[in-house]
Amino acid sequence: MEIRIFNNDKEISDFITEKWNEISYDAVRERGFFAVALSGGRTPADLYLRLSEKKSLPWNSTHIFQVDERFVTVFEPANNYAMIRDKLLRRVDVPEGNIHQIFARLSDPQTAAEAYEDELTGFFQLSGHSLPVFDLVLLGIGKDGHMASLLPGSEAIKVRDRLTAAITGSKIDHSRITLTLPVINNAKNVVFLVKGQDKANVVKEVIEKKNASLPASMVKPKGSLMFVMDTGAASLIRRP
Ligand code: 6PG
């Protein structure tokens, strides 16, 4: 696991943009496209805006997927797709057909999860139990140790035989649709982007204490794993 700590948003975004640049061009060279799964939440908004200024990235060959979504319409602030669209997608030349949205307007979360699974199966031409290979998955962490919409103690975190899962129930604010752990762990590169002092505790739990009960600790990709943080989020761990 690689850990990188930066002083401000610009340094963080510049670093990840450079990674994105390398990974995307390698992917396009190797298989003709770059497949990336993006998280929502507040943390990556600055990164998406700065990425949108990089017109030299291979946007035409970039396929954008979502890590997860809340079951709310795109008109509500909690909708991840709307944030990703506003900060990034509407500002760059990604062809419409390269955008693989989780449609939260479908009748129910399970139907939306199945539709997204079909989208993944079709795009990656999967058969049997094969898994999609994302070139890059960008994750955040919740203060409770969740990543994607895989919440601590949830049934969804145990799912091994599906690509997506729906999370419903009275304990959460919105139902959600998420990629499952096997899909995330099959990625070539996973980057956690974590900012703010309020995440310092959970960062320590995951990186130093290796608290195995937390979904963020279960991210052990076949490829590379990197934590990119600001000094606030990294304030309780020993500096690498
Ligand atoms: C989401 C993601 C979630 C997120 C973390 C961190 O909110 O869409 O499901 O995993 O990355 O909760 O969220 P913040 O970046 O808003 O702190």
Side-chain angles (χ1 to χ4, degrees), residues 39-44 68 70 80 139-142 146-149 176 199:
S39 284
R42 285 165 296 120
T43 310
D68 65 337
R70 294 183 187 78
N80 282 344
L139 297 174
I141 298 188
H146 79 260
M147 55 86 196
S149 285
R176 291 164 172 246
K199 301 282 175 73

Side-chain angles (χ1 to χ4, degrees), residues 37-38 65-69 80-81 84 100-102 116 179:
L38 299 179
F65 293 80
Q66 291 185 253
V67 167
D68 65 337
E69 185 59 281
N80 282 344
Y81 177 75
I84 297 168
H100 307 271
Q101 185 184 348
I102 300 176
Y116 193 46
L179 295 177

Side-chain angles (χ1 to χ4, degrees), residues 70-88:
R70 294 183 187 78
F71 199 69
V72 296
T73 72
V74 288
F75 303 107
E76 290 169 71
N79 186 275
N80 282 344
Y81 177 75
M83 188 279 276
I84 297 168
R85 180 196 60 200
D86 291 348
K87 304 291 182 211
L88 179 64

Side-chain angles (χ1 to χ4, degrees), residues 218-238:
M218 299 174 194
V219 177
K220 294 180 178 134
K222 283 189 176 161
S224 78
L225 173 62
M226 183 178 282
F227 274 80
V228 180
M229 294 179 275
D230 67 1
T231 46
S235 57
L236 296 180
I237 58 165
R238 281 182 302 275

